[in-house]
Amino acid sequence: MLQKQKKNWESIKGVKLNIKLTAIILVFVMVPIAILSGIMFFNIEQSTINENVSYLSSTMARRQDSIRNNVDSINMTTQFFLSDETMNKVLLNAKNGGEYTTKEWIKIYRNDVAALERLINTNPVLGGARYYASTDNVQEMMPVMYSASRLQKQAWTPMLEEGGWIFDYKDNLFSGGDNTPMMALITPVTNRKYGELGVIEANMKMETMFPSLYENVAGEISCFVTAEGRVIFGKNTNEAVRKIAISLARQMQEIAKKGETPDIKTYYSKNDKSVISGMYINELSGTLVSVKNISENIDEVHSQRNAFVFWMICILVVLYFLVNRVVLNLLKNFYDVLRTIRQVRAGNLYVRATDVGREDEMGELAHQVNRMLDNIQTLMQQNIDREILANDSQIKALQNQINAHFIYNVLESIKMMAEMQEEYQISDSITSLGKLLRYSMKWNSNTVLVADELEYIKNYMALINLRFDYVIYLSLNIPEEILSQKIPKMSLQPIIENAIIHGVEEIAEDTTIYIKGIVIDSDCIIEITDNGRGMNEEELEMLRKKIAGEIETSGSSSNGIGLKNVEDRLKMAYGPGYGIEVAAMEGCYTKVSIKIPMIEIDVNEGNS
């Protein structure tokens, strides 16, 4: 797999520059457009979904209000029938086998039956309300009072003892009746002493209670799921909707069993491309479910997206040829320079690129290539001259080596003469000078051990003290682990020299220079402190800027160039996190801190 990816990458790298630039330009143009268009069409799709979800949710809320009003109408009618004492006495009299006179029946009909009939007729949503006696020993008074024989014709007769809501039945009270689906609240009429006296039926058309089941709304199918799990459709039946309705109804029934009131739940099903809304009707112990298929809306958005993609591909192809032609024109001079370089690689150093002026980068490139070829010819001639002088350079190097040995031998002779004259101070000074010169001239490596650098400082201080009438003492407090660390050669001497020239000489009295080592985590700090004149804030800030390279320094020893060189060498050796820091107080002290990393090394290696 990796080998295949490598080959693919190699093949991409071998593509011509104009094709690469064309591809890059098109990518930078098309990728944002593709992202923005993707976001746009996604938002359009989500907006379509949200709009349908919001619409169906608000529609279900309106249906909820209508259903509750209808349920309240049936409940109120039932309560009114239950509270009618005259009609209850009629049922009781029929139960006990009693009889009314014709005059009494007429009075009951004109007063109570007429009032109940007016109640039914003034309620436009109500289908009807009836009493059914428990026996046939009753005078039927349409449309309110019926005998037990009539009751047996109804499909809901087996539910008489329990009562409750009956859904989707046909009214069989009279033969030849219509087949309009009805629903009713069945309420038994009982007496503590005589038991069941009859039953009250308050009914309503299913279409009145659930108009969404019978409406022809494009793409929308509704159904009602009873507490027993029976799914009732209106004009349209759909098995997929049946499964969705049963599942949603179970969820809402579980919530209702916990004593909570389920809210209207409306959501979008991506698999079905439909908006599904469910409403639990607590009074009916059932769930009204509406499923609106919005696949046409979603497909229309997808169709617009696909058309957009198609036209974008067509535009991309046209842009490719246009951009490629423009890029080729821009790179014309570049390819001319490339052909020149290839001829140079073949050995022709006299060829030159076409000089079209230096108005743009390509013209500048051609000009610089021509200058480079001129310089190459000049350098080749200079190399020939250097080869002629090579032997002279080797002789001079040998002569310098002889001069160094000559100086060491002369110093040894002077030292012996001083010891013979018992001038031991002169002898010690010459010894220190010899060590100093050997250390300075021996440059086998760019780094040395801290211990070697301190030994050099001791010899340097011994010679420095010959110059003054006062003594400059050296106090060392360096842990062993720091002594074995490596440091760029001649890093401490410029700091000591700076301390003497700018700090100690101006006070001209006995003093001490302190060198202290501190280990902090994986780094170590070497502090060099003098008790000289110090610096004020302005001088200190100026020195820090010179060390940081913010202010240009010249070759004078008084302007911090020595410290700047140490700073540069430390950063080159260890990185930007290391270097020197300066702190001072006027009339008190100056402290220079060197930060280097702790590195595990072989001490013998450092001394080799």
Side-chain angles (χ1 to χ4, degrees):
M1 184 66 179
L2 293 175
Q3 189 68 22
K4 184 177 180 181
Q5 292 178 349
K6 186 176 180 181
K7 288 182 179 179
N8 292 335
W9 177 246
E10 291 296 331
S11 63
I12 292 174
K13 291 198 295 185
V15 176
K16 294 184 67 175
L17 182 59
N18 64 299
I19 297 178
K20 289 181 181 178
L21 289 177
T22 301
I24 291 172
I25 293 172
L26 293 179
V27 166
F28 275 96
V29 171
M30 300 305 295
V31 166
I33 294 177
I35 293 174
L36 291 176
S37 61
I39 294 173
M40 179 185 70
F41 283 107
F42 175 78
N43 289 336
I44 292 174
E45 182 177 344
Q46 291 302 310
S47 177
T48 302
I49 293 171
N50 294 336
E51 182 180 344
N52 282 277
V53 168
S54 177
Y55 169 78
L56 191 55
S57 181
S58 60
T59 301
M60 290 296 282
R62 291 194 299 271
R63 292 171 181 171
Q64 185 180 51
D65 294 337
S66 175
I67 290 172
R68 285 177 177 174
N69 291 333
N70 291 338
V71 169
D72 290 342
S73 178
I74 292 178
N75 284 330
M76 289 175 62
T77 301
T78 300
Q79 292 301 320
F80 194 85
F81 269 59
L82 284 172
S83 63
D84 193 314
E85 294 182 0
T86 301
M87 300 304 292
N88 287 331
K89 288 181 181 178
V90 171
L91 295 175
L92 179 62
N93 186 62
K95 176 77 173 181
N96 294 330
E99 294 183 357
Y100 285 99
T101 64
T102 303
K103 184 177 180 180
E104 289 175 328
W105 282 120
I106 293 173
K107 181 180 179 181
I108 291 171
Y109 183 83
R110 288 180 176 177
N111 295 330
D112 295 88
V113 173
L116 293 175
E117 186 175 1
R118 283 194 299 272
L119 174 65
I120 296 170
N121 293 334
T122 55
N123 193 335
V125 299
L126 194 65
R130 304 159 181 163
Y131 288 104
Y132 292 94
S134 60
T135 67
D136 289 338
N137 183 32
V138 66
Q139 176 65 42
E140 292 188 335
M141 294 177 286
M142 294 185 292
V144 173
M145 179 66 71
Y146 296 94
S147 65
S149 299
R150 299 275 189 183
L151 177 63
Q152 299 304 318
K153 295 181 180 181
Q154 299 289 21
W156 44 265
T157 302
M159 292 186 58
L160 288 178
E161 294 183 2
E162 299 177 2
W165 292 94
I166 309 298
F167 301 99
D168 195 32
Y169 72 93
K170 297 196 173 41
D171 190 1
N172 298 324
L173 184 62
F174 299 102
S175 60
D178 60 17
N179 292 324
T180 302
M182 302 292 292
M183 62 170 290
L185 176 61
I186 306 302
T187 307
V189 181
T190 58
N191 183 276
R192 292 182 181 178
K193 181 177 180 180
Y194 298 102
E196 182 178 344
L197 303 180
V199 66
I200 298 174
E201 174 198 7
N203 62 36
M204 180 181 291
K205 292 181 179 179
M206 286 287 291
E207 186 175 359
T208 303
M209 181 66 77
F210 306 114
S212 59
L213 272 64
Y214 301 90
E215 293 173 347
N216 290 321
V217 179
E220 181 178 338
I221 298 177
S222 298
C223 63
F224 179 74
V225 184
T226 66
E228 298 79 22
R230 179 188 172 198
V231 182
I232 302 172
F233 285 93
K235 291 184 177 180
N236 301 310
T237 303
N238 187 289
E239 291 304 315
V241 173
R242 183 189 301 275
K243 294 178 181 179
I244 294 172
I246 292 174
S247 175
L248 187 57
R250 286 175 181 173
Q251 296 177 25
M252 292 196 159
Q253 286 175 358
E254 289 298 324
I255 297 174
K257 287 179 181 179
K258 296 178 182 177
E260 302 176 5
T261 302
D263 294 328
I264 296 174
K265 183 177 180 181
T266 307
Y267 64 95
Y268 172 69
S269 174
K270 187 175 182 180
N271 294 332
D272 302 311
K273 290 184 180 181
S274 300
V275 176
I276 301 168
S277 184
M279 174 180 63
Y280 184 78
I281 306 169
N282 190 54
E283 296 84 355
L284 304 179
S285 299
T287 305
L288 178 64
V289 178
S290 292
V291 178
K292 185 175 183 180
N293 188 304
I294 61 170
S295 59
E296 290 185 4
N297 306 75
I298 300 299
D299 291 342
E300 182 179 355
V301 175
H302 291 174
S303 177
Q304 294 175 356
R305 180 194 62 193
N306 295 338
F308 179 83
V309 171
F310 171 77
W311 285 112
M312 286 304 297
I313 292 174
C314 294
I315 294 172
L316 180 64
V317 172
V318 174
L319 279 177
Y320 172 80
F321 291 103
L322 292 177
V323 173
N324 189 50
R325 181 173 293 276
V326 173
V327 170
L328 277 173
N329 187 53
L330 291 174
L331 295 177
K332 180 179 179 182
N333 295 334
F334 170 78
Y335 284 119
D336 180 63
V337 172
L338 184 60
R339 283 191 295 270
T340 301
I341 294 174
R342 287 172 177 169
Q343 292 182 46
V344 171
R345 187 177 63 180
N348 184 4
L349 296 178
Y350 298 97
V351 68
R352 295 293 183 269
T354 303
D355 196 343
V356 294
R358 301 171 62 181
E359 296 178 357
D360 58 10
E361 291 82 357
M362 294 303 174
E364 177 71 16
L365 177 61
H367 177 76
Q368 294 299 334
V369 167
N370 291 337
R371 287 190 59 185
M372 180 188 68
L373 293 174
D374 293 338
N375 292 335
I376 288 174
Q377 288 185 324
T378 302
L379 291 173
M380 289 179 65
Q381 184 61 44
Q382 290 176 354
N383 285 335
I384 294 173
D385 296 338
R386 288 194 187 97
E387 290 178 2
I388 295 174
L389 297 175
N391 291 333
D392 293 340
S393 299
Q394 294 177 0
I395 293 172
K396 289 180 180 179
L398 180 60
Q399 184 179 359
N400 289 335
Q401 185 176 2
I402 295 172
N403 290 339
H405 286 292
F406 174 74
I407 292 172
Y408 298 151
N409 292 334
V410 169
L411 289 176
E412 286 294 326
S413 299
I414 296 173
K415 175 184 175 183
M416 292 179 63
M417 290 173 63
E419 289 179 352
M420 290 174 63
Q421 297 294 327
E422 296 183 356
E423 294 290 344
Y424 296 111
Q425 186 177 4
I426 296 174
S427 174
D428 292 341
S429 298
I430 292 173
T431 300
S432 298
L433 178 60
K435 291 180 179 180
L436 207 68
L437 290 174
R438 287 180 184 275
Y439 185 81
S440 301
M441 295 180 179
K442 183 181 180 182
W443 208 277
N444 295 333
S445 174
N446 290 330
T447 58
V448 296
L449 295 179
V450 174
D452 294 338
E453 187 76 0
L454 290 176
E455 187 63 30
Y456 171 77
I457 294 300
K458 292 176 184 179
N459 294 321
Y460 175 76
M461 291 298 299
L463 295 175
I464 283 294
N465 280 322
L466 295 175
R467 296 173 49 198
F468 306 121
D469 296 334
Y470 50 89
V471 179
I472 303 175
Y473 297 100
L474 187 64
S475 174
L476 299 177
N477 183 13
I478 307 293
E480 287 295 329
E481 57 267 32
I482 295 181
L483 291 175
S484 61
Q485 293 301 307
K486 283 192 173 183
I487 192 171
K489 191 172 183 179
M490 302 294 286
S491 296
L492 301 182
Q493 187 274 336
I495 300 174
I496 298 294
E497 180 181 5
N498 194 72
I500 294 172
I501 295 174
H502 301 292
V504 176
E505 282 189 3
E506 296 195 18
I507 64 173
E509 60 184 27
D510 291 355
T511 186
T512 302
I513 294 178
Y514 301 91
I515 302 179
K516 179 182 179 182
I518 306 171
V519 177
I520 301 177
D521 297 331
S522 60
D523 299 324
C524 62
I525 309 294
I526 300 175
E527 297 178 348
I528 301 173
T529 308
D530 68 79
N531 294 330
R533 74 173 187 86
M535 287 180 282
N536 57 36
E537 289 296 329
E538 184 178 351
E539 292 173 327
L540 180 59
E541 185 62 25
M542 181 68 69
L543 179 59
R544 286 173 176 169
K545 289 183 178 180
K546 289 179 179 179
I547 294 172
E550 298 177 12
I551 299 177
E552 186 177 355
T553 57
S554 61
S556 173
S557 62
S558 63
N559 60 5
I561 190 171
L563 297 182
K564 174 69 168 62
N565 290 338
V566 174
E567 168 81 355
D568 293 343
R569 292 174 62 202
L570 289 172
K571 288 191 180 298
M572 288 178 62
Y574 303 118
Y578 300 94
I580 66 175
E581 291 287 340
V582 182
M585 181 179 291
E586 188 173 10
C588 188
Y589 72 90
T590 299
K591 178 169 68 176
V592 179
S593 302
I594 294 179
K595 182 180 179 182
I596 61 174
M598 294 286 289
I599 302 174
E600 294 292 335
I601 61 171
D602 187 354
V603 177
N604 294 326
E605 178 188 349
N607 293 328
S608 60

